[in-house]
Amino acid sequence: MANLRFQVVEEAFSKKPLEVIAPVERPSEYFGKNVFTRDKMYKYLQKDVYEKLVDVIDNGAALDRSIADAVAKGMKQWADENGVTHYTHWFQPLTEGTAEKHDAFIEHDGKGGMIEEFSGKLLMQQEPDASSFPNGGIRATFEARGYSAWDPTSPVFIIDDTLCIPTIFISYTGEALDYKAPLKRALLAVDKAASAVARYFDPNVKKVTTNLGWEQEYFLVDEGLYSARPDLMLTGRTLMGHDSAKNQQMDDHYFGIIPDRVQVFMKDLEIQALQLAIPCKTRHNEVAPNQFEIAPIYEETNLAVDHNMLLMSLMKKVARKHGFRVLLHEKPFDGINGSGKHNNWSLSTDTGILLHAPGKNPEQNLRFVTFVVETLMGVYKHNGLLKASIMSASNAHRLGANEAPPAIISSFLGKQVSELLEHIEKADKEDLFYIKGKQGVKLDIPEIPELLIDNTDRNRTSPFAFTGNRFEFRAVGSEANCASAMIALNAAVAEALVNFKNRVDALVEERGERREESDYPNTGNGPDPIVTEAIIEVLREDIRECAPIHFDGNGYSDEWVEEATRRGLDVEKSCPIIFDRYLDPESIQMFENLNIMNRKELKARNEVKWETYTKKIQIEARVLGDLAMNHIIPVATHYQSRLAKNVAYMMEIFGAEEGKSICQRNINIIKEIAERTKTIETMVEELVNARKVANRIESEREKAIAYHDTVNPKMDKIRYHIDKLELTVADELWTLPKYRELLFIR
């Protein structure tokens, strides 16, 4: 057993990088090679069909089913030229992964042979088995029908020999069973709400787009060592393992030289990602050993989510080719940083960026403040829901661990924006927008001064930080589907903007009836003065109301937990209970009013979340019990027996009293092993019994709570004793690769 571990470690350290043959073209020339991009649409589709499809993609026009056959014909011609033989509807069920069922381009020709065919009907919808995917009780086992429907706003792409068609996934009765359908509804809601507000400042605004730039963190582990760790294979994280003497304390890995094997893997990954039109731009070493990051250029949110899900699948495939396994679990190793997926979120119109740092134009500055404040309002009113949107059994290990944002949602704004909002709230009307910039400029209503924003002082403890022209939602976990956080965030912001506009319009209507031109002279530039005054008045109210969400201090401190509690923010830490926020009356009302999800869909999704949490902890508990009883205790007792023989031999040679004195250290170790193995055996039995009790609970919510409260804590206690044994037992006998071996492969 020991020799096997040493063998896989030796093989891991001796591996050489594979050679990656890069395309001779520059990246810009092969970007999107395997995607049905607009230039390919133009080439393979008739002009009128192309124009109708582009209108659907750009302007949200209704999809004309009459063009589906023509589009399918063009797609198939392109696919044939690239050696494609199959097609699949590619969707994102509630499994946190993607799903696909491949069908060949063949049909009976009626003459005993086959013909290759791909129709508009096959392009537009298919019928996967809805009952076999998580659905929270929406579909019974015998009610299998469900539908996947083409999303033309996300381009079709080729993987190997298969044409992949991004789709939504709904039940036979119309409920969403995926992430894409509610995400698209949330994006539509924020487009409608934000466009209406943006037209206060620019009547030419036609559309508001939500942009997303994700930063994907991940670990790489040598495949041989991965295979020798059943816990990594079955749960995605190490359930035991003592700290390496050297881990990340020297800060020498962060932004360091990328190891050769990893560099080759990254190069291969980027080439394939770029061919799929995933705009990878950044790569670097992260803080922990063997931890890395890849990040793209910003994209429209729906497409960015699809690209992230596609990239995570691609990473796993490419990593195995290079002898690695990718770990996307938020906390695969104890004692070092876990992995997140920062979601950089912004709003832009067809005329500019709404959150862009303002300049000298007063209308742009007022618009900037409006969208910053209403974003904060959405985050404040639904801070518990936003936390629920990023919470999972795996991310719970990372949040609040002095390496990632705490499990309390707050927003860091930076000194300049903070001072501006405070000044707007408290200043007199005649001195409303004075702020100390680099030169201390003073301007009168309605002009907001030029902001000289410098966001180099980013607060890494803030879950939702303003960083110049965007907000960075840092709390999202590395293996999560970004759509979950984006649904909640965009819904919350859309609701805040709707509420803001209703109140502004009410004030304008009220004051317009008693308006005198001399009171509100209109210069013809920007909003009508009466509208401007109403906007400012509502903003002042909202700045005061959402003040509790604004926190620029240390989110890791115990004092912040107490302060957040006083402010009325959600400080709950239990993952299953946090999910309750989806079913709060205000959450249900928001989702239903914005036509994103109904009560039935929300309840079903929570059932899935609770069941998923239970199953993940259940699997971890079973794996830990198995490893403890079948790996750890046998190895420890074997070493104990060896020491006992040594003690017996020494007593035989030197006599009982002198032999005991000589072997006192070994005797102490024998006693320690006996005590720890007995404790582990007892605790494993208690762990099994706790699982049995929890498994008898019928309510998925109560079962998940039981697993959190009674099963999960026992695992930590068992791990403590196993990790102590790892330091005690002879290295040559320990069967599982250790942290020093898993984390430092070059």
Side-chain angles (χ1 to χ4, degrees):
M1 294 294 291
N3 290 336
L4 177 60
R5 173 183 148 226
F6 291 147
Q7 180 181 342
V8 295
V9 171
E10 183 179 358
E11 289 176 354
F13 275 93
S14 63
K15 284 181 180 176
K16 303 298 182 183
L18 296 178
E19 181 180 357
V20 175
I21 302 176
V24 294
E25 308 101 326
R26 298 183 63 80
S28 58
E29 296 174 315
Y30 61 81
F31 180 78
K33 173 185 175 182
N34 294 329
V35 179
F36 197 59
T37 52
R38 294 200 182 198
D39 60 336
K40 298 185 182 75
M41 292 179 194
Y42 189 81
K43 177 180 178 181
Y44 291 96
L45 303 180
Q46 298 174 1
K47 183 178 179 181
D48 62 327
V49 174
Y50 169 81
E51 290 175 349
K52 288 181 179 179
L53 185 56
V54 169
D55 190 32
V56 171
I57 296 170
D58 289 347
N59 304 316
L63 180 63
D64 185 351
R65 294 181 71 94
S66 66
I67 71 170
D69 283 330
V71 174
K73 181 180 178 181
M75 283 183 181
K76 186 174 183 300
Q77 183 182 350
W78 170 66
D80 286 342
E81 293 175 6
N82 285 274
V84 171
T85 59
H86 290 67
Y87 66 93
T88 182
H89 275 202
W90 182 85
F91 57 98
Q92 301 166 31
L94 303 178
T95 59
E96 301 298 327
T98 58
E100 50 196 70
K101 173 177 70 74
H102 297 198
D103 289 307
F105 288 128
I106 58 171
E107 297 290 343
H108 285 294
D109 65 358
K111 302 174 184 178
M114 288 285 183
I115 59 173
E116 295 185 355
E117 184 176 277
F118 184 56
S119 66
K121 179 181 178 181
L122 297 176
L123 167 65
M124 294 194 71
Q125 75 178 55
Q126 280 192 331
E127 187 184 325
D129 187 344
S131 67
S132 297
F133 288 103
N135 60 63
I138 284 180
R139 305 296 288 161
T141 303
F142 62 88
E143 297 174 322
R145 195 182 296 273
Y147 295 107
S148 55
W150 175 37
D151 172 17
T153 64
S154 186
V156 169
F157 56 92
I158 294 172
I159 296 288
D160 297 327
D161 64 351
T162 303
L163 184 71
C164 300
I165 305 161
T167 63
I168 65 169
F169 180 43
I170 62 173
S171 72
Y172 176 72
T173 47
E175 294 88 3
L177 296 176
D178 69 343
Y179 283 104
K180 181 183 277 285
L183 174 64
K184 290 185 70 67
R185 293 175 189 151
L187 298 178
L188 182 62
V190 82
D191 172 19
K192 182 179 178 181
S195 294
V197 173
R199 281 192 281 270
Y200 281 143
F201 310 99
D202 184 354
N204 298 315
V205 170
K206 297 178 181 178
K207 182 178 182 179
V208 171
T209 302
T210 304
N211 303 309
L212 171 63
W214 40 263
E215 303 170 25
Q216 181 69 60
E217 296 176 345
Y218 62 96
F219 282 85
L220 288 177
V221 174
D222 187 86
E223 188 163 28
L225 298 175
Y226 172 89
S227 299
R229 288 288 307 227
D231 49 353
L232 272 181
M233 292 178 63
L234 298 176
T235 73
R237 76 180 183 104
T238 53
L239 300 176
M240 59 192 71
H242 200 280
D243 290 351
S244 171
K246 178 184 184 299
N247 48 50
Q248 67 185 46
Q249 66 264 50
M250 299 300 295
D251 298 322
D252 54 347
H253 189 260
Y254 191 49
F255 279 18
I257 296 174
I258 300 173
D260 290 344
R261 280 183 65 196
V262 177
Q263 178 97 358
V264 175
F265 155 75
M266 288 180 169
K267 179 180 179 180
D268 197 0
L269 174 63
E270 288 177 1
I271 290 171
Q272 296 191 43
L274 290 168
Q275 290 176 340
L276 289 167
I278 304 173
C280 299
K281 183 174 180 65
T282 302
R283 66 188 186 198
H284 63 81
N285 289 4
E286 257 299 334
V287 175
N290 268 16
Q291 186 186 32
F292 309 94
E293 180 180 297
I294 182 170
I297 300 171
Y298 284 62
E299 297 181 284
E300 184 275 327
T301 297
N302 178 51
L303 181 58
V305 169
D306 283 359
H307 278 167
N308 181 246
M309 298 302 294
L310 180 55
L311 181 82
M312 288 194 290
S313 297
L314 190 62
M315 290 171 73
K316 296 173 184 178
K317 178 180 177 182
V318 176
R320 295 196 68 175
K321 172 183 171 183
H322 292 268
F324 288 119
R325 286 298 185 114
V326 167
L327 303 182
L328 294 174
H329 192 288
E330 281 79 5
K331 191 74 171 178
F333 301 102
D334 192 35
I336 61 173
N337 279 17
S339 297
K341 179 155 49 192
H342 303 168
N343 278 208
N344 295 278
W345 174 90
S346 67
L347 295 171
S348 63
T349 72
D350 45 331
T351 61
I353 300 175
L354 293 177
L355 296 175
H356 196 282
K360 297 180 180 179
N361 184 303
E363 286 73 38
Q364 290 180 356
N365 295 345
L366 182 57
R367 182 189 67 181
F368 164 78
V369 172
T370 297
F371 280 94
V372 167
V373 171
E374 294 315 310
T375 297
L376 293 177
M377 279 293 290
V379 173
Y380 168 60
K381 288 190 173 182
H382 295 284
N383 67 92
L385 175 65
L386 287 174
K387 181 164 64 173
S389 75
I390 54 88
M391 185 56 73
S392 66
S394 51
N395 205 21
H397 290 285
R398 165 180 166 261
L399 295 181
N402 286 351
E403 63 188 69
I408 302 170
I409 299 297
S410 64
S411 185
F412 165 82
L413 298 178
K415 181 179 180 180
Q416 287 272 304
V417 177
S418 298
E419 288 182 351
L420 173 62
L421 298 189
E422 181 179 359
H423 188 73
I424 292 174
E425 177 192 355
K426 297 179 179 179
D428 294 332
K429 180 177 178 180
E430 290 73 19
D431 188 29
L432 186 57
F433 296 126
Y434 174 76
I435 181 172
K436 292 182 179 179
K438 290 186 178 179
Q439 297 180 353
V441 181
K442 178 178 180 180
L443 298 172
D444 297 326
I445 290 180
E447 296 180 0
I448 297 178
E450 177 179 6
L451 297 186
L452 306 174
I453 299 176
D454 184 356
N455 287 288
T456 55
D457 60 338
R458 293 182 181 179
N459 188 330
R460 67 188 302 270
T461 74
S462 176
F464 194 76
F466 181 70
T467 55
N469 58 5
R470 64 194 183 276
F471 281 93
E472 184 178 17
F473 198 0
R474 296 176 55 87
V476 183
S478 57
E479 69 176 355
N481 187 324
C482 298
S484 180
M486 290 296 101
I487 291 166
L489 175 59
N490 284 287
V493 173
E495 182 190 57
L497 289 168
V498 169
N499 179 268
F500 170 81
K501 187 174 188 303
N502 289 340
R503 289 151 62 210
V504 170
D505 288 350
L507 284 175
V508 170
E509 182 178 0
E510 173 190 336
R511 293 171 184 179
E513 294 177 353
R514 51 185 174 81
R515 167 179 178 163
E516 294 184 12
E517 193 65 32
S518 59
D519 294 333
Y520 302 100
N522 195 332
T523 63
N525 297 319
D528 187 300
I530 192 173
V531 175
T532 298
E533 185 178 273
I535 289 172
I536 293 170
E537 185 170 330
V538 174
L539 283 177
R540 284 180 132 180
E541 295 173 358
D542 288 352
I543 290 170
R544 284 190 285 268
E545 184 175 354
C546 71
I549 204 69
H550 177 198
F551 179 66
D552 286 357
N554 179 12
Y556 293 160
S557 67
D558 294 335
E559 291 79 10
W560 167 232
V561 178
E562 298 175 4
E563 173 63 20
T565 303
R566 286 194 294 272
R567 294 186 183 193
L569 301 180
D570 193 310
V571 297
E572 178 61 58
K573 294 182 179 180
S574 169
C575 185
I577 294 177
I578 288 171
F579 293 148
D580 287 344
R581 300 290 72 77
Y582 273 98
L583 300 179
D584 287 342
E586 54 268 28
S587 297
I588 295 174
Q589 182 180 29
M590 176 187 71
F591 283 122
E592 290 190 332
N593 287 348
L594 296 173
N595 193 33
I596 295 172
M597 286 183 282
N598 59 37
R599 184 185 302 265
K600 183 178 180 182
E601 289 171 313
L602 290 167
K603 286 184 176 180
R605 283 165 190 266
N606 259 31
E607 290 292 313
V608 172
K609 289 177 180 292
W610 286 317
E611 184 180 8
T612 300
Y613 179 88
T614 295
K615 288 179 177 178
K616 284 190 174 182
I617 305 301
Q618 184 182 73
I619 291 170
E620 289 184 352
R622 293 176 67 180
V623 171
L624 179 62
D626 173 60
L627 288 176
M629 301 304 295
N630 296 312
H631 285 252
I632 305 305
I633 290 180
V635 168
T637 52
H638 177 62
Y639 182 55
Q640 184 185 47
S641 298
R642 179 192 288 185
L643 294 178
K645 290 180 180 179
N646 176 264
V647 171
Y649 291 153
M650 291 299 101
M651 288 184 175
E652 183 178 337
I653 294 172
F654 297 103
E657 185 174 345
E658 186 177 358
K660 181 179 180 180
S661 175
I662 293 172
C663 298
Q664 189 59 53
R665 178 179 178 275
N666 286 353
I667 292 172
N668 292 340
I669 293 175
I670 290 170
K671 289 181 179 179
E672 179 186 353
I673 291 175
E675 292 169 355
R676 293 198 186 280
T677 53
K678 178 60 178 177
T679 300
I680 291 171
E681 287 178 347
T682 301
M683 287 184 171
V684 168
E685 184 177 355
E686 292 174 355
L687 181 67
V688 171
N689 291 333
R691 282 200 347 253
K692 289 179 178 179
V693 171
N695 290 341
R696 289 194 289 268
I697 301 174
E698 292 187 6
S699 164
E700 290 295 348
R701 178 183 183 275
E702 298 306 317
K703 185 187 296 184
I705 292 173
Y707 263 88
H708 176 274
D709 293 349
T710 65
V711 176
N712 209 25
K714 289 180 170 56
M715 295 170 61
D716 293 334
K717 293 177 181 178
I718 293 172
R719 175 175 188 152
Y720 172 81
H721 291 283
I722 291 176
D723 290 354
K724 290 296 184 180
L725 285 177
E726 181 183 319
L727 292 180
T728 303
V729 174
D731 185 63
E732 65 182 29
L733 297 180
W734 200 256
T735 59
L736 302 175
K738 299 184 177 183
Y739 272 23
R740 67 169 184 263
E741 297 155 352
L742 291 166
L743 291 169
F744 294 95
I745 301 299
R746 292 293 184 264

